[in-house]
């Protein structure tokens, strides 16, 4: 009997019209490409799951490793959804990574009720060390602290976002988290992750400056930090600052810190409607973004925040005011690749 590889079977199904056709890859990627997957959709949508198998080098939990989902109450730890994603990635020969230990949007209410700084620190360290140890050797790294920079530092006249952790522990919650993460898994790549680091204007200049300052402060305190993650949520109405992003990359490199793209997608709510028009807008944004990233040296990896428009936070949080469907991700709702996915493939293969 002639043996059939998994890819040949899938390619045959695509030719028969059962699955979307797979784009050919001219060369292996030199920079890994990955995507975040929603664990609750993996079993209910096999085609969605298969998309990650076919097109990703890295598959990571989108939400399942966040504090409030892992430990919704003081007594309950729920690792099953994250375990399922990490096992899925490893079983299919993919790598994975974790997001995130500290995020203002995922702090459970039972934690926010803690008033004692010493108890808050104890809970934070316990959480990070237990979670980090569980996935030790299974994840490339972690977004240790996520979205810690003030949303608008100039207007707010502050560097750090007003969060429970800042109010209770002060800025030291950042090194506390990084130290605990390093203790739990010394080999993991530890990153500071944030948004709005790629655009033009004083607001964005200040955000980049603050990130660099945090990195330097951690290094001055001999606290391990390996990378900075640019979320990469690209807006159709915001201009990517190629020169500033190039300088930012060079400044990080001079500190021995890597640059990652961690949550790439396109928010096209202020662009002309229609699939072709929206995809042209997305392609232009992604091209400029990649040009800026690669002008100095390639980033360590590129991760999109999902793979298909069928499932994206943009649809719910930032819907188009004209009612047209958003097109934020590299594959459409029918799981067909868009032209800008080919842009990513070509760029990541030819560095």
């Amino acid at each position: 009997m002639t043996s059939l590889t998994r890819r040949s079977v899938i390619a045959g199904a695509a030719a028969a019209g059962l699955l979307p056709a797979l784009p050919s890859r001219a060369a292996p990627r030199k920079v890994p490409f990955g995507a975040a997957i929603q664990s609750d959709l993996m079993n209910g949508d096999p085609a969605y799951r298969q998309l990650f198998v076919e097109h990703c080098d890295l598959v990571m939990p989108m939400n399942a490793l966040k504090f409030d989902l892992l430990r919704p109450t003081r007594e309950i730890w729920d690792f099953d959804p994250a375990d399922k994603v990490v096992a899925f990635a490893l079983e299919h020969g993919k790598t994975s990574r974790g997001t995130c230990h500290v995020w203002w949007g995922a702090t459970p209410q039972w934690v926010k009720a803690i008033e004692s700084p010493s108890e808050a620190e104890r809970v934070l360290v316990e959480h990070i060390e237990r979670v980090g140890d569980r996935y030790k050797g299974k994840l490339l790294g972690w977004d240790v602290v996520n979205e810690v920079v003030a949303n608008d530092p100039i207007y707010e006249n502050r560097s750090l976002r007003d969060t429970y952790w800042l109010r209770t522990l002060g800025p030291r919650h950042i090194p506390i988290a990084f130290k605990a993460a390093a203790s739990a898994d010394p080999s993991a790549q530890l990153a500071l992750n944030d948004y709005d680091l790629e655009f033009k204007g004083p607001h964005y200049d200040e955000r980049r400056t603050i990130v660099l300052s945090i990195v330097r402060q951690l290094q001055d305190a001999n606290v391990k930090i390996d990378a900075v993650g640019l979320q990469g949520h690209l807006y159709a109405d915001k201009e990517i600052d190629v020169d500033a992003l190039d300088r930012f990359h060079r400044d990080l490199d001079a500190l021995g810190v890597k640059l990652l793209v961690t949550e790439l997608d396109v928010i096209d709510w202020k662009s002309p409607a229609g699939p072709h028009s929206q995809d042209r807008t997305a392609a232009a944004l992604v091209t400029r973004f990649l040009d800026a990233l690669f002008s100095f040296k390639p980033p360590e990896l590129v991760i999109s925040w999902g793979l298909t428009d069928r499932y994206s936070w943009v649809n719910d949080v930032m819907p188009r005011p004209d009612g047209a469907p958003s097109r934020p991700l590299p594959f459409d709702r029918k799981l067909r690749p868009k032209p800008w996915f080919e842009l990513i493939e070509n760029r990541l293969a030819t560095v």
Side-chain angles (χ1 to χ4, degrees), residues 285-295 302 343-344 347:
L285 282 169
V286 171
T287 297
R288 187 172 176 85
F289 183 57
L290 293 177
D291 285 346
L293 288 175
F294 282 78
S295 60
V302 174
L343 291 173
I344 291 176
R347 182 56 70 92

Side-chain angles (χ1 to χ4, degrees), residues 28-40:
R29 299 184 186 116
K30 297 179 181 178
V31 174
F33 172 76
I37 192 169
Q38 297 186 48
S39 59
D40 56 327

Side-chain angles (χ1 to χ4, degrees), residues 147-168:
E147 298 182 0
V148 72
V149 177
N151 182 60
D152 190 337
I154 297 174
Y155 177 77
E156 297 175 42
N157 193 29
R158 62 187 308 137
S159 296
L160 300 181
R161 181 184 290 270
D162 181 18
T163 69
Y164 165 80
W165 296 112
L166 182 66
R167 291 190 298 272
T168 308

